[in-house]
Amino acid sequence: MELNQYLEMFIEESKEHLQSCSEHLLELEKNPEDLAIVSEIFRSAHTLKGMSATMGYEDLADLTHKMENVLDAIRNEKIAVTPEILDVVFESVDHLEEMVYHIADGGDGKRDVQDTVARLKLIESGEEAPVLEKRRQRLENYNQRIY
C-alpha cells in the first residue's frame, strides 16, 4: 500500500473516531454517570492516538493522549464528569478535528493547543475541579445579588 493510501485511510478512520467521540460526548452530557459511554470515548481516543503516532503526527497523538488520560481517570472513578470537564474534552475533540482536516488539506496537522493541554493536565491532576467550583460559586453569589 502506498503512503497516500495509508494517509487516506488514516484521515477517514480519524474522522470516524472523532465523530464517535462527539456523539458519545453528547450522550455523556445527558448521562454523566454512565461509565460505559466514557469507555467508548476512551477506545476511540486510544485508537486515534495510536494511528496518529504511527503516521508521525505527534501533536495529534499528544493531545489525544492527554484527553485519553482524563477519560481514563473518569472511567476509573478518580474524577467525576462535570460540565466544565466535558467542555474541555469537547474543545480537545474540536482541535483534533481541525488538525485532521488540516492534514486532509495537505497540511502538517499542527495547531497551538497549549492552553487545552494545560487544562487537561489540571483536570487529570484533580486541581481543575476546585478552581472551577470556586468560579461557579462566585458566579452564583454574583447572580443572587443582582437578581
Side-chain angles (χ1 to χ4, degrees):
M1 204 180 265
E2 289 182 30
L3 184 59
N4 275 350
Q5 289 175 307
Y6 284 118
L7 183 59
E8 288 175 26
M9 187 175 9
F10 166 77
I11 291 166
E12 288 309 310
E13 288 185 20
S14 294
K15 288 178 182 179
E16 289 172 16
H17 286 290
L18 289 167
Q19 180 65 34
S20 176
C21 285
S22 293
E23 289 171 2
H24 284 104
L25 281 168
L26 291 171
E27 284 181 44
L28 187 60
E29 214 170 21
K30 295 174 190 167
N31 304 297
E33 306 295 319
D34 191 341
L35 297 180
I37 297 170
V38 177
S39 291
E40 288 296 323
I41 301 166
F42 179 89
R43 275 193 286 283
S44 287
H46 184 74
T47 302
L48 179 61
K49 178 187 76 176
M51 292 187 325
S52 300
T54 299
M55 292 295 292
Y57 297 112
E58 291 304 318
D59 288 0
L60 193 64
D62 290 344
L63 176 56
T64 309
H65 180 67
K66 298 296 184 270
M67 184 178 84
E68 185 184 47
N69 289 348
V70 168
L71 295 167
D72 193 45
I74 293 169
R75 72 182 186 155
N76 290 314
E77 301 184 47
K78 293 178 181 171
I79 58 175
V81 174
T82 65
E84 294 81 12
I85 289 173
L86 284 175
D87 285 347
V88 178
V89 177
F90 269 118
E91 181 180 303
S92 300
V93 171
D94 289 344
H95 282 307
L96 292 167
E97 287 176 341
E98 289 297 321
M99 294 164 96
V100 168
Y101 280 100
H102 188 244
I103 292 165
D105 290 340
D108 60 7
K110 293 189 180 294
R111 186 174 176 90
D112 182 6
V113 295
Q114 290 178 358
D115 290 344
T116 304
V117 167
R119 290 172 57 204
L120 288 167
K121 286 179 182 178
L122 281 174
I123 292 167
E124 182 187 0
S125 71
E127 294 179 35
E128 179 86 347
V131 171
L132 292 172
E133 184 58 33
K134 286 179 187 176
R135 192 177 302 153
R136 185 180 317 146
Q137 287 173 352
R138 281 196 309 269
L139 183 60
E140 286 176 10
N141 291 339
Y142 174 78
N143 286 336
Q144 288 174 354
R145 285 188 299 221
I146 62 171
Y147 294 111

